[in-house]
Amino acid sequence: MWGGRFAAGPASIMREINASIPFDKRLWKQDIAGSKAHVAMLAKQGIVEGEDAQAITEGLNRIAAEYEADGVPVDLDLEDIHMVTESRLAQLIGPTAGRLHTARSRNDQVATDFRLWVRDAIDEVQAGLVGLQRALLARADENADAVMPGFTHLQSAQPVTLGHHLMAYYEMVRRDRSRFADARARADECPLGAAALAGTGFPIDRHATAAALGFAKPTDNSLDSVSDRDFALDYLMAATQASLHLSRLAEEFIIWASQPFGFVKLPDAYSTGSSIMPQKRNPDAAELVRGHAGRIMGCMTALCMTMKGLPLAYSKDMQDDKPPVFEAHDLLALSIAAMTGMIETVTFRTDRMRGLAESGFATATDLADWLVREGGIPFREAHHITGRAVAAAEASGVPLDQLPIATLKAIDARIDDRIYAVLTVDASVASRMSHGGTAPAQVRARIAQAQEELGS
């Protein structure tokens, strides 16, 4: 490729370290699309003869069919997907193939290909996240009334509903989708035509190639065009945040599936057994999702470290931009699919959830709130009174709503029989009618709104 300048070929180790075709072959669809848009523009601008442009386009279509059928051949001597394709094009149509690279460089070519790939990857992730949201909505709707313990510090805090708990993850995924949407919008500029770093002297039409490839506009600075990888970092940062949310959900399933909790029975399809202990049902799919989050975060960190010290414009370090993005995308897609499948098929043991909600003094705050509302007591004083009531219930080994009224009155004379109406877990959750609260009516209202957002 650069034989005019170099008298000798590269050393074998240089040949191996320099080649990116083992991984960038994944860009072949984007590379073919970019080349077809480029040659069409060259013909329209009179830079390449129409007959040559037609031959190039037909050759590219044939190569695409070959790649689709047989995969991309890996030839380290040809370095990357761009040269593999151009070499095959030359075999098919002869020297005319060399006209394809007029007014472009591999620098703007790969920047364009990679943006196209990331844009497609975001669309795939968005579709997966919508599927996860739909699964969460369906199970939340089924369990809008199912009472479970709400936790802080992994200690029983207040009763909530399972539907409300699942909808918390819906909100996380909603934010994830917005981050991916923002990343896609920023990536929607086309670098093609920036050439190596300074633009080109040929009378090209960059707006035409941008439009042909579905970009909103061409990039506005040729130096930035070939050296920018913010779009890849945006993708990785959004993927990292999404993987953190998936990991938290996976962790809940892992905890809930353990015998001390027993809140869920994971389906066989997402569990494994033990080679020695026949009774085991291991939450391996959830554990792998939790593990993948660390790897995705590592991919994001790797690209940050690659880019942090690079001067303008292109440096060969940037060849290492694609493996972390490809790896993160594959891991994220697996994680989304696994968690969606688990949500859809898990058995929630709502009887067990309810039993634990009733056993942990989770309605203590309702007692304090009642004292404020009915007795006009400052909340801090009500908090102390309630603390003594909890201590009495704990000493007696009974829940709050089974403490005798005489015991409660001995703690504070302002308590009367009306207190029992607020001390059940059902009354507690039903009372949480503030916007975004756990009351079943509020949960169902948010589910209906979310279904409308998703177009269901």
PDB file of all heavy atoms in Angstrom, residues 272-286:
ATOM      1  N   THR A 272     -28.550 -22.969  37.043  1.00  0.00           N
ATOM      2  CA  THR A 272     -27.712 -24.144  36.833  1.00  0.00           C
ATOM      3  C   THR A 272     -27.701 -24.959  38.124  1.00  0.00           C
ATOM      4  O   THR A 272     -28.105 -24.487  39.187  1.00  0.00           O
ATOM      5  CB  THR A 272     -26.262 -23.768  36.463  1.00  0.00           C
ATOM      6  OG1 THR A 272     -25.664 -23.077  37.561  1.00  0.00           O
ATOM      7  CG2 THR A 272     -26.214 -22.891  35.219  1.00  0.00           C
ATOM      8  N   GLY A 273     -27.211 -26.189  38.009  1.00  0.00           N
ATOM      9  CA  GLY A 273     -27.087 -27.038  39.184  1.00  0.00           C
ATOM     10  C   GLY A 273     -25.643 -27.163  39.618  1.00  0.00           C
ATOM     11  O   GLY A 273     -24.755 -26.467  39.128  1.00  0.00           O
ATOM     12  N   SER A 274     -25.422 -28.047  40.539  1.00  0.00           N
ATOM     13  CA  SER A 274     -24.090 -28.302  41.077  1.00  0.00           C
ATOM     14  C   SER A 274     -23.626 -29.685  40.627  1.00  0.00           C
ATOM     15  O   SER A 274     -24.422 -30.612  40.507  1.00  0.00           O
ATOM     16  CB  SER A 274     -24.117 -28.236  42.603  1.00  0.00           C
ATOM     17  OG  SER A 274     -22.938 -28.788  43.158  1.00  0.00           O
ATOM     18  N   SER A 275     -22.323 -29.816  40.417  1.00  0.00           N
ATOM     19  CA  SER A 275     -21.773 -31.119  40.026  1.00  0.00           C
ATOM     20  C   SER A 275     -21.722 -32.099  41.193  1.00  0.00           C
ATOM     21  O   SER A 275     -21.540 -33.300  40.989  1.00  0.00           O
ATOM     22  CB  SER A 275     -20.361 -30.922  39.458  1.00  0.00           C
ATOM     23  OG  SER A 275     -19.497 -30.412  40.473  1.00  0.00           O
ATOM     24  N   ILE A 276     -21.893 -31.586  42.411  1.00  0.00           N
ATOM     25  CA  ILE A 276     -21.779 -32.466  43.586  1.00  0.00           C
ATOM     26  C   ILE A 276     -22.983 -32.389  44.510  1.00  0.00           C
ATOM     27  O   ILE A 276     -23.300 -33.344  45.211  1.00  0.00           O
ATOM     28  CB  ILE A 276     -20.486 -32.129  44.364  1.00  0.00           C
ATOM     29  CG1 ILE A 276     -20.214 -33.168  45.457  1.00  0.00           C
ATOM     30  CG2 ILE A 276     -20.559 -30.727  44.970  1.00  0.00           C
ATOM     31  CD1 ILE A 276     -18.871 -32.988  46.135  1.00  0.00           C
ATOM     32  N   MET A 277     -23.705 -31.253  44.507  1.00  0.00           N
ATOM     33  CA  MET A 277     -24.816 -31.065  45.435  1.00  0.00           C
ATOM     34  C   MET A 277     -26.121 -31.056  44.647  1.00  0.00           C
ATOM     35  O   MET A 277     -26.475 -30.049  44.028  1.00  0.00           O
ATOM     36  CB  MET A 277     -24.640 -29.752  46.201  1.00  0.00           C
ATOM     37  CG  MET A 277     -23.407 -29.733  47.095  1.00  0.00           C
ATOM     38  SD  MET A 277     -23.001 -28.088  47.737  1.00  0.00           S
ATOM     39  CE  MET A 277     -22.292 -27.302  46.272  1.00  0.00           C
ATOM     40  N   PRO A 278     -26.848 -32.146  44.655  1.00  0.00           N
ATOM     41  CA  PRO A 278     -28.016 -32.263  43.778  1.00  0.00           C
ATOM     42  C   PRO A 278     -29.151 -31.305  44.104  1.00  0.00           C
ATOM     43  O   PRO A 278     -30.034 -31.092  43.285  1.00  0.00           O
ATOM     44  CB  PRO A 278     -28.448 -33.723  43.944  1.00  0.00           C
ATOM     45  CG  PRO A 278     -27.764 -34.221  45.150  1.00  0.00           C
ATOM     46  CD  PRO A 278     -26.563 -33.390  45.383  1.00  0.00           C
ATOM     47  N   GLN A 279     -29.158 -30.736  45.306  1.00  0.00           N
ATOM     48  CA  GLN A 279     -30.266 -29.858  45.682  1.00  0.00           C
ATOM     49  C   GLN A 279     -30.103 -28.434  45.160  1.00  0.00           C
ATOM     50  O   GLN A 279     -31.041 -27.640  45.222  1.00  0.00           O
ATOM     51  CB  GLN A 279     -30.401 -29.812  47.216  1.00  0.00           C
ATOM     52  CG  GLN A 279     -29.488 -28.812  47.934  1.00  0.00           C
ATOM     53  CD  GLN A 279     -28.043 -29.285  48.090  1.00  0.00           C
ATOM     54  OE1 GLN A 279     -27.670 -30.314  47.537  1.00  0.00           O
ATOM     55  NE2 GLN A 279     -27.253 -28.549  48.850  1.00  0.00           N
ATOM     56  N   LYS A 280     -28.944 -28.114  44.610  1.00  0.00           N
ATOM     57  CA  LYS A 280     -28.640 -26.715  44.304  1.00  0.00           C
ATOM     58  C   LYS A 280     -29.383 -26.216  43.066  1.00  0.00           C
ATOM     59  O   LYS A 280     -29.544 -26.927  42.083  1.00  0.00           O
ATOM     60  CB  LYS A 280     -27.133 -26.513  44.079  1.00  0.00           C
ATOM     61  CG  LYS A 280     -26.267 -26.744  45.288  1.00  0.00           C
ATOM     62  CD  LYS A 280     -26.523 -25.682  46.359  1.00  0.00           C
ATOM     63  CE  LYS A 280     -26.076 -24.287  45.937  1.00  0.00           C
ATOM     64  NZ  LYS A 280     -24.640 -24.208  45.687  1.00  0.00           N
ATOM     65  N   ARG A 281     -29.818 -24.960  43.138  1.00  0.00           N
ATOM     66  CA  ARG A 281     -30.343 -24.222  41.998  1.00  0.00           C
ATOM     67  C   ARG A 281     -29.627 -22.865  42.019  1.00  0.00           C
ATOM     68  O   ARG A 281     -29.987 -21.973  42.791  1.00  0.00           O
ATOM     69  CB  ARG A 281     -31.851 -24.028  42.092  1.00  0.00           C
ATOM     70  CG  ARG A 281     -32.447 -23.211  40.927  1.00  0.00           C
ATOM     71  CD  ARG A 281     -33.898 -22.858  41.195  1.00  0.00           C
ATOM     72  NE  ARG A 281     -34.752 -24.017  41.182  1.00  0.00           N
ATOM     73  CZ  ARG A 281     -35.365 -24.476  40.094  1.00  0.00           C
ATOM     74  NH1 ARG A 281     -35.193 -23.853  38.938  1.00  0.00           N
ATOM     75  NH2 ARG A 281     -36.137 -25.527  40.155  1.00  0.00           N
ATOM     76  N   ASN A 282     -28.591 -22.754  41.222  1.00  0.00           N
ATOM     77  CA  ASN A 282     -27.724 -21.584  41.283  1.00  0.00           C
ATOM     78  C   ASN A 282     -28.178 -20.489  40.313  1.00  0.00           C
ATOM     79  O   ASN A 282     -28.473 -20.785  39.152  1.00  0.00           O
ATOM     80  CB  ASN A 282     -26.285 -21.972  40.953  1.00  0.00           C
ATOM     81  CG  ASN A 282     -25.719 -22.971  41.946  1.00  0.00           C
ATOM     82  OD1 ASN A 282     -26.024 -22.907  43.135  1.00  0.00           O
ATOM     83  ND2 ASN A 282     -24.908 -23.893  41.461  1.00  0.00           N
ATOM     84  N   PRO A 283     -28.178 -19.237  40.772  1.00  0.00           N
ATOM     85  CA  PRO A 283     -28.615 -18.125  39.911  1.00  0.00           C
ATOM     86  C   PRO A 283     -27.490 -17.638  38.999  1.00  0.00           C
ATOM     87  O   PRO A 283     -27.118 -16.459  39.000  1.00  0.00           O
ATOM     88  CB  PRO A 283     -29.026 -17.058  40.924  1.00  0.00           C
ATOM     89  CG  PRO A 283     -28.095 -17.272  42.077  1.00  0.00           C
ATOM     90  CD  PRO A 283     -27.880 -18.770  42.144  1.00  0.00           C
ATOM     91  N   ASP A 284     -26.934 -18.556  38.207  1.00  0.00           N
ATOM     92  CA  ASP A 284     -25.736 -18.234  37.441  1.00  0.00           C
ATOM     93  C   ASP A 284     -25.965 -17.140  36.405  1.00  0.00           C
ATOM     94  O   ASP A 284     -25.083 -16.312  36.161  1.00  0.00           O
ATOM     95  CB  ASP A 284     -25.196 -19.489  36.743  1.00  0.00           C
ATOM     96  CG  ASP A 284     -24.412 -20.382  37.696  1.00  0.00           C
ATOM     97  OD1 ASP A 284     -24.530 -20.156  38.917  1.00  0.00           O
ATOM     98  OD2 ASP A 284     -23.706 -21.286  37.232  1.00  0.00           O
ATOM     99  N   ALA A 285     -27.138 -17.129  35.753  1.00  0.00           N
ATOM    100  CA  ALA A 285     -27.388 -16.089  34.751  1.00  0.00           C
ATOM    101  C   ALA A 285     -27.331 -14.709  35.407  1.00  0.00           C
ATOM    102  O   ALA A 285     -26.703 -13.775  34.878  1.00  0.00           O
ATOM    103  CB  ALA A 285     -28.730 -16.311  34.069  1.00  0.00           C
ATOM    104  N   ALA A 286     -27.966 -14.573  36.558  1.00  0.00           N
ATOM    105  CA  ALA A 286     -27.938 -13.287  37.266  1.00  0.00           C
ATOM    106  C   ALA A 286     -26.517 -12.939  37.712  1.00  0.00           C
ATOM    107  O   ALA A 286     -26.094 -11.781  37.644  1.00  0.00           O
ATOM    108  CB  ALA A 286     -28.879 -13.327  38.468  1.00  0.00           C
TER     109      ALA A 286
END
